[in-house]
């Protein structure tokens, strides 16, 4: 009876992980996902044209502006635009997707800089994608921790995949947990969705079997008593693990774990993984 229940639970655990992994892969391989990016263009006050986007682009105190030539058109929020279009001042880590034929032109702000990042479905990185290697899911890597909120969010500056770029996050707290008999903690940043958290980290597998610069783990909102679950089987690569055309944040120094997290996604094949 116990064996049957354990086997059933393990099967359900594996199927849930496979659903998560497939969803991660689907987002990457989307026709306009990160594998479809063909350029990372930094804007300044000089109008610039790019080979993978229409128009001449510049930015300034009033935000991003594109000037389209005759016959060129973008669709912004469902509305066709021609001639000059002003995107305005974009929020940090925010952006707008403008449609150009079968491509999407991402206009965004990263690290205090305005960028244009076209995404084309026929990008070679996307069309050659065969999936991401990963460790087999194992319940031993599911850890219960405790979330310790800070009195006030702490502005935390971290580096980026692009040299010289910095990101600033308001860290709301840290997560403490035990792994392999060691007491560890991770500074947490706001996640996607109310109350959710994310942790950026490296560990002893980084640069060996997993991507050297970073991995990310999304956490559900902590319980009322601070209990939070860290399922390292769902440690995911960020876009910079696949392409140099990403501006991903690096983990804060304190999130460099001294243990080997042999769980989650491995180094992508695009970076020599297997």
């Amino acid at each position: 009876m116990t064996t049957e229940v354990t086997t059933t639970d393990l099967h359900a655990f594996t199927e849930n992980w496979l659903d998560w992994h497939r969803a991660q892969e689907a987002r990457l391989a989307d026709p306009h996902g990160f594998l479809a990016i063909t350029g990372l263009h930094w804007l300044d006050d000089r109008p610039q044209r790019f080979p993978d986007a229409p128009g001449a682009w510049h930015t300034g105190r009033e935000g991003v502006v594109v000037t389209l030539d005759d016959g060129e058109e973008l669709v912004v929020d469902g509305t066709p635009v021609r001639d000059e279009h002003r995107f305005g001042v974009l929020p940090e880590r925010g952006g707008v997707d403008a449609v150009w034929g079968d491509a999407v032109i991402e206009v965004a702000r990263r690290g205090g800089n305005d960028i244009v990042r076209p995404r084309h479905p026929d990008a070679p990185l996307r069309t050659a994608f065969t999936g991401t290697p990963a460790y087999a899911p194992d319940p031993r890597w599911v850890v219960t921790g405790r979330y310790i909120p800070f009195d006030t969010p702490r502005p935390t500056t971290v580096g980026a995949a692009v040299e010289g770029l910095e990101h600033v996050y308001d860290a709301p707290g840290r997560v403490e947990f035990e792994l392999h008999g060691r007491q560890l903690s991770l500074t947490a940043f706001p996640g996607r969705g109310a109350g959710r958290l994310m942790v950026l980290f490296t560990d002893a597998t980084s640069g060996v079997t997993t991507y050297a610069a970073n991995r990310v783990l999304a956490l559900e909102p902590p319980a009322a008593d601070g209990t939070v679950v860290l399922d390292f089987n769902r440690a995911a690569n960020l876009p910079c693990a696949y392409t140099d055309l990403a501006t991903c944040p690096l983990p804060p120094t304190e999130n460099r774990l001294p243990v080997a997290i042999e769980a989650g996604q491995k180094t992508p094949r695009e970076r020599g993984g297997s």
Side-chain angles (χ1 to χ4, degrees):
M1 183 67 174
T2 302
T3 302
E4 291 177 356
V5 171
T6 301
T7 300
T8 300
D9 289 346
L10 182 58
H11 177 74
F13 177 84
T14 302
E15 287 300 311
N16 287 337
W17 180 87
L18 285 171
D19 288 343
W20 169 83
H21 186 63
R22 292 186 191 108
Q24 293 285 119
E25 302 285 77
R27 280 191 291 272
L28 268 177
D30 183 88
H32 300 126
F34 268 94
L35 298 181
I37 293 174
T38 54
L40 173 57
H41 308 301
W42 302 88
L43 303 183
D44 55 29
D45 58 359
R46 302 167 300 159
Q48 301 176 70
R49 295 192 68 94
F50 309 117
D52 48 358
W57 299 78
H58 72 275
T59 190
R61 294 179 63 181
E62 296 182 359
V64 177
V65 179
V66 62
T67 302
L68 300 165
D69 286 348
D70 291 342
E72 292 183 327
E73 177 183 279
L74 289 170
V75 178
V76 182
D77 293 330
T79 301
V81 298
R82 302 177 184 87
D83 302 320
E84 182 182 272
H85 180 73
R86 295 178 175 271
F87 290 89
V89 177
L90 302 171
E92 182 63 34
R93 289 189 286 277
V96 175
D97 287 340
V99 178
W100 180 45
D102 66 351
V104 162
I105 311 301
E106 178 193 9
V107 187
R109 189 168 181 82
R110 298 292 184 270
N113 301 275
D114 290 323
I115 62 172
V116 169
R117 195 158 47 179
R119 302 174 184 228
H120 291 258
D122 62 354
L125 193 65
R126 176 181 178 271
T127 57
F129 182 59
T130 58
T132 304
Y135 285 99
D138 189 329
R140 291 180 301 169
W141 292 104
V142 182
V143 180
T144 299
R146 179 175 174 79
Y147 174 62
I148 311 294
F150 298 141
D151 292 337
T152 58
R154 296 178 182 175
T156 304
T157 301
V158 297
V162 175
E163 187 175 353
L165 192 70
E166 291 182 335
H167 296 279
V168 180
Y169 291 89
D170 286 332
R174 70 178 185 275
V175 176
E176 298 179 345
F177 60 100
E178 182 179 326
L179 189 64
H180 295 170
R182 302 185 67 161
Q183 296 295 325
L184 304 169
S185 71
L186 291 164
T187 295
F189 294 150
R192 294 184 178 180
R196 289 173 62 89
L197 302 168
M198 73 163 182
V199 291
L200 300 164
F201 72 96
T202 58
D203 64 277
T205 70
S206 301
V208 182
T209 56
T210 64
Y211 184 57
N214 51 21
R215 285 194 291 169
V216 63
L217 183 62
L219 306 179
E220 294 295 324
D225 63 355
T227 299
V228 64
V229 175
L230 300 92
D231 184 353
F232 284 105
N233 295 286
R234 302 190 181 204
N237 291 322
L238 279 80
C240 58
Y242 303 86
T243 175
D244 292 335
L245 305 176
T247 61
C248 303
L250 303 179
T253 302
E254 65 270 22
N255 284 17
R256 298 171 185 171
L257 299 178
V259 297
I261 307 292
E262 296 177 322
Q265 292 187 327
K266 296 182 178 181
T267 305
R269 296 182 179 92
E270 289 77 7
R271 300 290 194 186
S274 60

